[in-house]
Amino acid sequence: MEIDYTKIKVIGFDADDTLWVNETYFREAEEAAGRLLSLYETPNKIDQELFKMEIKNLPTYGYGVKGFILSMIELAIELSNGTVANDVIAQMLKIGKDMINKPIELLDGVEEVLKELSKDYRLIVATKGDLLDQERKLEKSGLLKYFHHIEVLSEKEASNYSKLLKHLDIEPEAFLMVGNSLKSDILPLVKIGAQAIHVPFHTTWQHEKVTKKETNGSHYKTVKSLMEITDLIS
């Protein structure tokens, strides 16, 4: 089915793993957690339990590095029955600070695409995570000049997007969302009558994965890189 982009006036971009590298650093941190806690469990078990802890803590901490590190520390206390060494906790805190202070690595073609699209469309960022961290990354990225609005959402569900579009006075049929997560950036937009383009990243957090059944009947486009978008919607 051919998708019509002629009504699009506003384009929203996810940030992490759409504009710049992010999930790679979480994978590295998970591996580090496996090494730090290897006295208590196998790396595979630690990985599974850390994911469970993160999901359990999402309503409390939300998304982002801070909640991830707090979950890691809580897991360390739990697995060790409260005997985990102070230096292990200190190393976990350092992992978190190192993640927050990572340089921004833009994905291929990001600035060129934003520069081109900003000539004809209003661009916004719609992301989720820790507000301070996302603001810091956007500032460090050098991309802020291309965006009219920045929105950090607590969740990326259809209702959240509907509220955002209503707040910005954007009709769903005039909005296109671009992102790497089918669960967060694509399917909710299709549900509310907007358009969406999926740009996969090479690694996806378990919480963001969807089944083939969940995507059935959803009309969206998948491209290999952001650089394909300008030709696609022109």
Side-chain angles (χ1 to χ4, degrees), residues 14 63 126 128 153 155-158 161 177 179-189 205 207-210:
D14 171 51
Y63 296 91
K128 65 183 179 185
L153 301 162
E155 281 291 353
K156 280 185 162 182
E157 297 174 349
Y161 282 112
M177 182 68 186
N180 69 292
S181 170
L182 286 170
K183 180 179 179 179
S184 293
D185 306 317
I186 308 302
L187 299 182
L189 277 304
W205 186 31
H207 186 58
E208 296 295 327
K209 293 180 178 179
V210 297

Side-chain angles (χ1 to χ4, degrees), residues 79-93:
L79 290 180
S80 69
N81 290 317
T83 64
V84 64
N86 288 339
D87 71 300
V88 171
I89 301 297
Q91 288 181 69
M92 291 180 172
L93 291 171

